[in-house]
């Protein structure tokens, strides 16, 4: 096969992969601007508000390492098609739910398919192109994720603002595009079967990591609301989560085919890439979720306009990811792009700490551009750095490992940010109500998201409180961003190899 025909074949496959990746990432953020209306329609609470997003991230986080490992053991094409099909089913059911509890459940199904897709798409790319070529393709992947992450709120806002569509189409929109991706990949994707003679599935490891992460996130979400922090459940759940995760580590160290190959974490590049990815995941997933509340409740913009306001973030991520991917492939080195990106992202996150109810849009846009530029330049190049140093047989597991910790950072980040936002908003409302000479009993319950039914004076107080609480979310996220930068600074730079596999592995 000539170089041109091979590239044409790869690009044809890439369209299907990018389409699947786009709709799966879109499913996280498309509900951002639609959530206030979804919660009003389903009579949901503030706790359920964050769980609509966290359910997807939690399920995705748990499914990612499992799917990545299965991709190393079995047919990647069949697994990817099954993942897209599962995601489509979850999307279809999410648009049919009668209440918020059922929506959370269907989002779990959606998340499992999403996590499997994210791991397998990158594994498939790594199976058909060399790391040196992969830089530009990873740039396309990063650009696709960037567009999906930030265009989600825009599309969600437009959909809920269109009377003949409604919020249910924020979930149904993914289905036709997923089906197109299935057809394209079914027809064009050809990967040699990678099953080993006696493939071994780490059932215990898969179950333990799912249980441990789930317990931890449920504790973060429900603590202080459903049960006190200092109570048998408040103390017992994190202890149980840590115990389960400790058992998981023991199992992984003794399993011949661990779902998360911890031996990779003894190497400097995978370990530091994982640490850096946690902060990136938080900065990637948490802000778009709460920007919807900020622009609609605090600033009074419509859902559609709220999405348009976030376009600079999308454009910065898209351009940064695409251009850095091309440059990485051309130069053959990746570290300078990761470090530069994380410097910019950290700067943007620090700027967001000072955002309040009267912050001008130009200031927020500058911060958004810095955050978007940083994420686009660093996110996929960290995955590439890890893939470059492992043999082909470990590409699926190593890719899934970085994606897993990025998703975990995002899932925990959304929950913690939601708690901070709620506590801070309540504190601001109380102080503003008292300052206005109103009794404390006038402080509204944050579980009530429909402020249009409030009196004008109280409405103004609530809008101001939501705006002034926004900056508090970014204090913790900015700290994680700086820690990601520090981890990246200690990464050993390396040249991208021109072979599909490590040479010693080819000789065995």
């Amino acid at each position: 096969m000539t170089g041109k025909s091979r590239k044409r074949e790869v690009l044809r496959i890439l369209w299907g992969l990018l389409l699947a990746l786009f709709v799966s990432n879109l499913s996280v953020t498309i509900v951002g601007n639609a959530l206030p209306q979804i919660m009003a329609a389903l009579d949901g609470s503030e706790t359920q508000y964050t769980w609509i997003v966290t359910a997807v991230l939690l399920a995705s986080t748990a499914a990612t390492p499992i799917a990545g490992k299965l991709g190393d053991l079995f047919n990647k094409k069949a697994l990817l098609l099954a993942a897209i099909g599962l995601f489509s089913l979850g999307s279809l059911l999410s648009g049919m739910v009668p209440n918020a509890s059922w929506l959370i459940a269907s989002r779990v199904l959606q998340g499992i398919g999403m996590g499997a897709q994210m791991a397998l798409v990158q594994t498939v790319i790594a199976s058909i192109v060399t790391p040196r070529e992969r830089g530009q393709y990873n740039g396309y992947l990063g650009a696709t994720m960037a567009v999906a992450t930030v265009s989600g709120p825009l599309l969600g806002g437009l959909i809920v603002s269109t009377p003949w569509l409604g919020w249910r189409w924020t979930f149904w929109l993914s289905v036709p595009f997923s089906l197109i991706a299935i057809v394209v990949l079914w027809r064009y994707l050809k990967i040699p079967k990678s099953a080993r003679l006696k493939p071994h599935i780490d059932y215990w490891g898969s179950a333990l990591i799912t249980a441990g992460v789930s317990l931890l996130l449920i504790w973060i979400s429900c603590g202080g609301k459903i049960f006190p922090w200092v109570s048998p459940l408040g103390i017992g759940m994190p202890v149980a989560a840590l115990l389960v995760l400790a058992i998981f580590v023991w199992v992984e160290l003794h399993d011949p085919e661990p779902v998360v190959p911890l031996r990779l974490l003894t190497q400097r590049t995978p370990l530091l890439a994982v640490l850096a990815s946690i902060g990136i995941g938080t900065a990637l997933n948490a802000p778009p979720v709460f920007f919807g509340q900020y622009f609609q409740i605090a600033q009074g913009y419509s859902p559609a306009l709220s999405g348009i306001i976030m376009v600079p973030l999308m454009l910065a991520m898209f351009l940064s990811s695409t251009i850095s991917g091309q440059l990485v492939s051309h130069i053959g080195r990746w570290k300078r792009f990761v470090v530069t990106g994380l410097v910019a992202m950290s700067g943007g996150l620090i700027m967001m700490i000072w955002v309040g109810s009267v912050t001008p849009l130009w200031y927020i846009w500058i911060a958004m551009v810095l955050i978007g530029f940083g994420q686009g330049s660093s996110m996929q190049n960290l995955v590439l750095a890890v893939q470059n140093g492992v043999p082909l047989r470990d590409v699926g597991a190593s890719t899934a490992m970085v994606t897993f910790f990025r998703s975990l950072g995002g899932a925990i980040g959304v929950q913690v940010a939601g708690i901070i936002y709620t506590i801070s908003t309540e504190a601001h409302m109380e102080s503003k109500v008292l300052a206005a000479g109103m009794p404390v009993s006038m402080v509204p319950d944050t579980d009530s998201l429909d402020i249009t039914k409030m009196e004008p004076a109280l409405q103004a107080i609530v809008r101001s409180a939501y705006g002034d609480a926004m900056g508090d979310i970014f204090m913790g996220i900015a700290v994680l961003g700086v820690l990601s930068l520090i981890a990246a600074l200690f990464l050993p730079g390396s040249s991208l190899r021109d072979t599909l596999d490590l040479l010693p592995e080819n000789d065995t």
Side-chain angles (χ1 to χ4, degrees):
M1 183 184 298
T2 65
K4 286 186 177 180
S5 60
R6 180 179 177 277
K7 186 173 183 179
R8 187 164 52 248
E9 182 182 351
V10 171
L11 288 175
R12 189 183 293 143
I13 295 168
L14 189 66
W15 276 111
L17 295 176
L18 293 181
L19 193 56
L21 191 66
F22 176 78
V23 294
S24 64
N25 279 271
L26 187 72
S27 67
V28 179
T29 59
I30 194 172
V31 299
N33 277 334
L35 269 180
Q37 292 196 24
I38 293 174
M39 291 292 96
L42 299 179
D43 196 25
S45 67
E46 182 71 24
T47 300
Q48 289 174 320
Y49 184 101
T50 54
W51 267 101
I52 298 300
V53 177
T54 304
V56 170
L57 295 175
L58 170 60
S60 172
T61 299
T64 296
I66 299 170
K69 188 60 185 180
L70 291 176
D72 287 334
L73 297 174
F74 298 103
N75 187 293
K76 296 176 178 63
K77 177 178 178 177
L79 289 169
L80 179 57
L81 294 176
I84 300 173
L86 187 62
F87 171 79
S88 301
L89 177 61
S91 301
L92 185 65
L93 294 176
S94 294
M96 300 168 64
V97 296
N99 56 54
S101 298
W102 276 104
L103 180 55
I104 293 171
S106 63
R107 293 278 278 175
V108 170
L109 189 63
Q110 206 181 21
I112 294 172
M114 171 188 166
Q117 282 185 72
M118 289 179 67
L120 291 167
V121 163
Q122 295 180 86
T123 302
V124 167
I125 289 289
S127 300
I128 59 179
V129 296
T130 68
R132 183 66 180 262
E133 298 174 297
R134 207 177 301 156
Q136 60 179 313
Y137 295 117
N138 273 0
Y140 299 146
L141 294 182
T144 300
M145 294 171 68
V147 173
T149 299
V150 188
S151 66
L154 173 59
L155 287 173
L158 291 172
I159 288 172
V160 298
S161 298
T162 305
W164 49 274
L165 288 177
W167 64 264
R168 295 183 187 274
W169 276 97
T170 59
F171 303 107
W172 289 338
L173 182 67
S174 300
V175 177
F177 293 103
S178 294
L179 295 178
I180 293 172
I182 288 175
V183 171
V184 171
L185 295 174
W186 176 270
R187 181 174 179 181
Y188 295 113
L189 181 58
K190 295 178 178 63
I191 302 177
K193 291 184 178 181
S194 56
R196 299 173 189 179
L197 293 177
K198 293 183 179 180
H200 167 81
I201 301 176
D202 180 14
Y203 294 107
W204 277 108
S206 302
L208 287 167
I209 194 170
T210 303
V213 171
S214 299
L215 274 173
L216 188 61
L217 286 175
I218 292 171
W219 171 68
I220 293 172
S221 172
C222 300
K225 297 177 181 178
I226 297 178
F227 52 80
W229 291 110
V230 182
S231 66
L233 275 177
I235 297 173
M237 286 187 74
V239 172
L242 292 175
L243 179 61
V244 169
L245 292 174
I247 297 172
F248 163 75
V249 171
W250 184 87
V251 168
E252 297 304 273
L253 291 174
H254 292 82
D255 195 281
E257 292 284 358
V259 67
V260 178
L262 297 178
R263 57 184 168 76
L264 294 178
L265 293 179
T266 61
Q267 302 173 28
R268 186 174 165 188
T269 297
L271 175 61
L272 292 173
V274 160
L275 294 176
S277 295
I278 294 173
I280 293 174
T282 303
L284 181 69
N285 291 294
V289 173
F290 299 99
F291 275 144
Q293 277 187 302
Y294 174 77
F295 289 123
Q296 290 179 55
I297 298 176
Q299 300 287 359
Y301 294 110
S302 68
L305 194 53
S306 297
I308 293 172
I309 290 171
M310 285 186 269
V311 167
L313 178 60
M314 175 189 70
L315 288 176
M317 292 177 70
F318 176 82
L319 293 174
S320 173
S321 182
T322 305
I323 294 171
S324 68
Q326 296 289 338
L327 290 174
V328 165
S329 281
H330 177 70
I331 297 171
R333 303 190 70 85
W334 51 266
K335 182 175 177 178
R336 67 193 69 176
F337 299 97
V338 171
V339 172
T340 303
L342 289 175
V343 168
M345 187 186 83
S346 300
L349 293 173
I350 291 171
M351 284 184 66
M352 287 299 299
I353 294 175
W354 283 276
V355 167
S357 58
V358 294
T359 304
L361 275 179
W362 63 263
Y363 180 91
I364 298 175
W365 279 334
I366 292 174
M368 281 184 174
V369 168
L370 288 174
I371 294 170
F373 171 83
Q375 290 171 342
S377 182
S378 60
M379 185 168 57
Q380 288 304 114
N381 285 324
L382 277 173
V383 176
L384 179 60
V386 175
Q387 291 176 340
N388 188 55
V390 299
L392 190 59
R393 63 183 174 84
D394 284 332
V395 161
S398 62
T399 301
M401 183 172 63
V402 177
T403 307
F404 165 77
F405 282 101
R406 189 173 68 215
S407 299
L408 181 61
I412 294 177
V414 169
Q415 279 299 322
V416 173
I419 293 171
I420 294 172
Y421 203 21
T422 300
I423 293 173
S424 182
T425 299
E426 290 173 346
H428 281 294
M429 282 194 295
E430 183 174 339
S431 65
K432 291 175 187 293
V433 163
L434 292 174
M438 301 178 184
V440 180
S441 59
M442 291 291 291
V443 176
D445 186 353
T446 53
D447 278 349
S448 176
L449 298 175
D450 191 0
I451 67 170
T452 58
K453 297 178 180 178
M454 300 177 184
E455 297 178 2
L458 193 57
Q459 224 182 92
I461 288 175
V462 171
R463 291 187 186 280
S464 178
Y466 267 94
D468 291 339
M470 187 64 178
D472 298 335
I473 293 177
F474 285 89
M475 291 183 183
I477 301 177
V479 170
L480 287 177
V482 172
L483 291 176
S484 295
L485 172 59
I486 293 172
L489 288 172
F490 286 97
L491 278 166
S494 60
S495 298
L496 297 175
R497 66 176 190 265
D498 293 313
T499 57
L500 195 59
D501 201 356
L502 291 174
L503 292 177
E505 293 295 324
N506 287 334
D507 295 334
T508 58

